[in-house]
Amino acid sequence: MRFLGTAAAVTASVVLALSGCTDKKETASPAAKKPEITVYSERVEHLIKPLFDLYTKETGVNIRFITDGAGPLIARLENEGEATPADMLITVDAGNLWHAAQKGLLRSIDSPILEANIPNHLQASNNQWFGLSARARTIVYSTERVKPEELSTYEDLADPKWKGRLCLRTSKKVYNQSLVATMINTLGEEQTEKVIRGWVDNLATDPYSNDTLALEAVIAGQCDLAIVNTYYFGRMQKENPSIPLAVFWPNQADRGVHVNISGAGITKHAKHPEEAQKLLEWLSQEEAQYMFAEANEEYPVNPKVKPSPLVQAWGEFYGDLVNVEATGYLQADAVKLMDRAGYR
Ligand code: FE
């Protein structure tokens, strides 16, 4: 993208000029050395490095990064405080970004580019973090033992007709906490708890530690359907296109399919906030959006960009329009509710 390459180059010299005025390290070489951006990322290396390499190629700006879980990265930012080298935090799940923002680790960003490229419900209302890919958590079923006509909503999976046929991932995983948080948002606590109790009653096995194991259990015939993020199915389907599983999009009228994000914010104590903002803006534009989503068979957040052909083949769906920050402020309620309902 020529425009963004140019914009980044211009900003680099602006940043240098500013730091020359305000930074004590004024004696630094006047040569136009571009700053390095440092990123703490929960998103794993093979999903982000190709993008960072492309960005460096286009702009000359180097990106250093470390990868770890959201918990350790957020703790690290807290411990480092003002001394942190991190300019940007990337996590999976809005609940994690919401926590980082709650702890005062991120800063608000005023960017017409991000506002234009990222729908409002997939970014923080205080502009402290922005979704970069959307991930749908939905029903995946056995094409050998379930007909799509039998399926309708997440709530319907509480019906006794699914007794002994449902597989779930553990309630300890933030993905399920986020799903239940958005159900609380629409259905209220009482109704949501009834549904979760119904799911627990219908479980074929103890909850699994990850989505892939739940899908493998469906293939192995231990259960007939599971609630998973679609990219886990996508990974399996990529390796084995004839896998006997299919995606179903719940069609409840009052709430769309549960959509979460993988996203990023700029740290409160960023040393290169303007450069980091340029990177974030670049990640929201069309070329990077396709790469970011396609690498993990997710959905671009930028509505101008279509997902990969493999993902497109699963058909279109209506995503929940509730702001994903509900996954943060209702998370504690969701955890308590799942505990009460016996969902382990
Ligand atoms: Fe995941």
Side-chain angles (χ1 to χ4, degrees), residues 92 135 137 169 173 175 211 229 231-232 235 296:
V92 302
R135 22 194 42 212
R137 193 160 186 78
R169 183 176 187 159
K173 182 66 185 180
Y175 299 167
D211 285 7
N229 285 359
Y231 56 86
Y232 291 104
R235 288 175 195 169
N296 195 33

Side-chain angles (χ1 to χ4, degrees), residues 94-262:
N96 289 326
L97 288 164
W98 186 87
H99 273 297
Q102 281 297 104
K103 290 173 182 285
L105 299 172
L106 303 177
R107 63 170 70 198
S108 297
I109 305 164
D110 184 12
S111 163
I113 295 173
L114 293 175
E115 294 306 328
N117 287 343
I118 303 174
N120 267 329
H121 69 288
L122 301 180
Q123 51 167 283
S125 50
N126 62 9
N127 287 335
Q128 294 204 353
W129 45 264
F130 294 81
L132 291 172
S133 63
R135 22 194 42 212
R137 193 160 186 78
T138 193
I139 300 167
V140 172
Y141 63 93
S142 160
T143 52
E144 291 164 346
R145 296 182 303 280
V146 177
K147 291 190 180 68
E149 307 86 77
E150 298 175 85
L151 293 161
S152 57
T153 63
Y154 298 97
E155 289 87 310
D156 176 66
L157 298 184
D159 188 284
K161 75 179 175 197
W162 299 112
K163 185 126 192 123
R165 302 175 69 188
L166 176 65
C167 276
L168 291 175
R169 183 176 187 159
T170 168
S171 66
K172 307 290 177 288
K173 182 66 185 180
V174 66
Y175 299 167
N176 284 328
Q177 297 166 6
S178 293
L179 168 64
V180 173
T182 57
M183 290 172 73
I184 292 172
N185 183 68
T186 319
L187 302 174
E189 291 229 4
E190 202 181 322
Q191 187 57 29
T192 303
E193 189 169 334
K194 262 190 216 161
V195 174
I196 305 304
R197 281 184 190 280
W199 289 0
V200 171
D201 285 345
N202 288 340
L203 282 177
T205 65
D206 286 341
Y208 289 96
S209 58
N210 66 57
D211 285 7
T212 302
L213 288 174
L215 290 172
E216 284 169 351
V218 178
I219 296 170
Q222 286 176 287
C223 46
D224 294 343
L225 37 73
I227 299 175
V228 295
N229 285 359
T230 53
Y231 56 86
Y232 291 104
F233 169 59
R235 288 175 195 169
M236 293 176 123
Q237 200 184 28
K238 214 170 174 177
E239 282 186 12
N240 176 8
S242 60
I243 205 163
L245 299 175
V247 168
F248 180 82
W249 301 117
N251 52 16
Q252 64 272 21
D254 57 350
R255 194 176 82 250
V257 170
H258 176 60
V259 171
N260 209 311
I261 55 161
S262 175

